[in-house]
Amino acid sequence: MNWLGRSVRAALRYAMTGLTAAAAVAVLVTGAAHADPLPAPSDKGQSAPYYVVTNSYNGEPEYLYEIAERFLGNGDRAMEIFELNKGRWQPGAQQVTKPEVIEPAWVLRLPADAKGDGVKTGVLPYFDPPAAGATGAASAPAPSAGATTEASPTPAAQAPASDSGNSWLAPVLIGLAALLVVAGLAWLALFLIRRQRAKKPKPVALAVMGDSDAWAVDRAARALATACAQQGRAVPDTIAVVLGPEAITIRLATPDEAVPVGWTVGDAGRVWSSTISEVQRAVVDNSLPAPFAQLVPIGLTGTGQVLLNLAQSGGVISLDGDADRVVELARAWSVRLARSPWANGLKVVRVGFELDTAERFAGVEAQTVADVARIAETNPGGGVLFLATPPRGHDLVTVNGLIDAPGRLWSAVVVKADEATWRVSIDAAGTVQTGLLPQRTSLRV
């Protein structure tokens, strides 16, 4: 509801300073001026490969990395698709402006080598941009040649001359009416804000890692896996990954100073690092499995965005602290895992959470822990289970059985678990504490 409060204050400010009522109402409704549209690609009428975005693919929402991986054989080419479509108008007067945002029914031009089921080749479908001034009053058409204006005189021509002295009255009355409308809307907005706060005294808005950052993390992880394979060694057990503006760092579970080419070692073998530019140049073998399939973002520090590798827990992971925050953190983790390129093949299952269609969770909403056990039997790639309440009795036995199964392919995240191997605490202000990282690390979500 923050946007509504800002809109109300802006509307009142405009009204009090004597700007037009139309401007005040526009600010109240929109909260901000619309940004200028991007220039659209000049390929109208051209023939090229293209793809029409669907509601889902394999049960999950579509995104550019997955589309590039499916039709170009490499998810890292997602930005090529974005650059071909940047500024392109789509159905519903929408425009392609961000690589992490695509919607069903959008038409995406693809590179010339795109192939696969769903790729079409032909003249690119074209969607007109919204007409300038479409929301305003329509202009009166110019009279055609030979037409006379006497048959349809303007209101001004029809008005008696004796009314000219009261011409100021109509604008004043309109202005007063508009101010009354603004005041009424402002009162209604403030009422809704108070009602919302009374319903949920501690509103939560956890930031979920964007797809562009997720691609960068996935690229770095796969580059590391490739470098280790070339050296004939396995990727070391890793507790956390930090994505900074210029470098990516991994914190190892056990010190190891035998870094592969392209990486440097620090903190007595506990930390490996590589620059973002080095990772982008590195050779990547996409046939290798992603080394960190269970990464989840836990917050920000001065060095960058921190992700925790749940696969290293070896037991139940408990989310402790503020009641609202822990539920939102569990939701944020599940949404990110279900959409992350590094979690390909991983099953993300939730039990006991209220359904919220707005969050676009692409995993599985199970009814019971027993359902999760049946899902695990048919999913050899493992997964992560999220429980809104601590398991007890037979459910606890089932959860421990999943975690302790050979290969330790499953992890369990529980809201305020009775017993846990890892505990992550988050307070009402959004500060995260965990004993898994150096004590000086305090993260803000």
Side-chain angles (χ1 to χ4, degrees):
M1 297 295 288
N2 288 339
W3 67 270
L4 193 53
R6 289 195 300 269
S7 300
V8 170
R9 289 192 293 272
L12 292 176
R13 183 169 62 250
Y14 278 119
M16 294 303 292
T17 53
L19 293 179
T20 65
V25 173
V27 172
L28 179 69
V29 174
T30 63
H34 293 292
D36 291 336
L38 297 175
S42 57
D43 54 8
K44 182 178 180 180
Q46 292 184 13
S47 181
Y50 65 91
Y51 175 66
V52 181
V53 180
T54 62
N55 288 321
S56 65
Y57 178 73
N58 286 342
E60 298 183 3
E62 296 203 88
Y63 52 98
L64 284 187
Y65 185 96
E66 172 268 319
I67 291 173
E69 195 170 54
R70 189 169 13 136
F71 298 136
L72 302 175
N74 187 348
D76 293 331
R77 297 181 64 186
M79 291 305 294
E80 290 183 38
I81 302 178
F82 173 70
E83 292 299 332
L84 283 173
N85 294 277
K86 185 176 181 181
R88 188 180 304 281
W89 289 100
Q90 301 290 349
Q94 300 181 85
Q95 196 177 30
V96 181
T97 58
K98 297 179 180 179
E100 65 269 22
V101 178
I102 61 172
E103 298 292 342
W106 282 18
V107 176
L108 300 178
R109 179 174 182 173
L110 301 176
D113 60 333
K115 58 184 178 181
D117 187 21
V119 175
K120 302 179 181 180
T121 300
V123 176
L124 288 168
Y126 179 80
F127 301 96
D128 290 319
T135 58
S139 301
S144 59
T148 63
T149 58
E150 295 179 359
S152 55
T154 63
Q158 293 175 335
S162 59
D163 290 343
S164 60
N166 296 327
S167 60
W168 57 271
L169 186 58
V172 170
L173 291 176
I174 292 173
L176 289 174
L179 288 176
L180 288 174
V181 170
V182 171
L185 290 174
W187 178 88
L188 177 61
L190 292 173
F191 169 78
L192 292 174
I193 291 171
R194 292 193 183 106
R195 182 177 179 181
Q196 180 70 12
R197 287 176 177 171
K199 184 187 298 184
K200 192 172 184 179
K202 287 189 273 189
V204 177
L206 296 183
V208 179
M209 170 181 275
D211 286 343
S212 57
D213 284 345
W215 296 336
V217 171
D218 181 64
R219 171 77 183 187
R222 294 181 187 275
L224 175 62
T226 303
C228 287
Q230 291 173 344
Q231 189 176 300
R233 58 158 299 165
V235 177
D237 292 339
T238 299
I239 294 177
V241 175
V242 180
L243 175 65
E246 297 180 356
I248 189 159
T249 303
I250 66 170
R251 176 162 287 274
L252 308 185
T254 304
D256 187 337
E257 297 190 357
V259 292
V261 175
W263 293 77
T264 59
V265 64
D267 195 13
R270 295 180 178 85
V271 169
W272 289 7
S273 300
S274 183
T275 63
I276 298 297
S277 58
E278 180 68 30
V279 166
Q280 291 173 341
R281 291 193 301 267
V283 175
V284 172
D285 183 355
N286 286 310
S287 66
L288 296 173
F292 312 130
Q294 298 185 21
L295 282 180
V296 292
I298 58 175
L300 300 170
T301 64
T303 57
Q305 192 159 194
V306 181
L307 298 96
L308 192 64
N309 186 10
L310 303 183
Q312 289 296 311
S313 64
V316 170
I317 302 147
S318 179
L319 299 183
D320 303 330
D322 180 80
D324 290 331
R325 287 288 189 175
V326 293
V327 172
E328 290 301 316
L329 186 59
R331 286 182 176 276
W333 283 5
S334 64
V335 169
R336 181 68 271 168
L337 271 176
R339 290 178 57 86
S340 293
W342 61 75
N344 186 29
L346 191 75
K347 210 69 175 177
V348 183
V349 187
R350 301 197 310 203
V351 177
F353 292 86
E354 292 183 7
L355 183 63
D356 183 0
T357 56
E359 67 182 348
R360 298 179 67 184
F361 175 57
V364 178
E365 298 277 12
Q367 297 298 315
T368 66
V369 172
D371 293 337
V372 181
R374 288 189 286 271
I375 293 171
E377 290 176 358
T378 59
N379 195 76
V384 179
L385 167 62
F386 290 85
L387 294 173
T389 57
R392 295 185 173 87
H394 189 266
D395 284 350
L396 180 59
V397 174
T398 301
V399 171
N400 287 334
L402 285 174
I403 296 172
D404 296 335
R408 292 189 177 275
L409 299 176
W410 279 80
S411 297
V413 178
V414 181
V415 173
K416 299 188 177 181
D418 299 327
E419 297 181 3
T421 304
W422 283 3
R423 289 192 178 274
V424 176
S425 178
I426 180 170
D427 63 21
T431 301
V432 177
Q433 296 288 349
T434 170
L436 307 171
L437 302 173
Q439 290 300 317
R440 65 180 180 274
T441 304
S442 179
L443 305 113
R444 296 298 301 272
V445 296

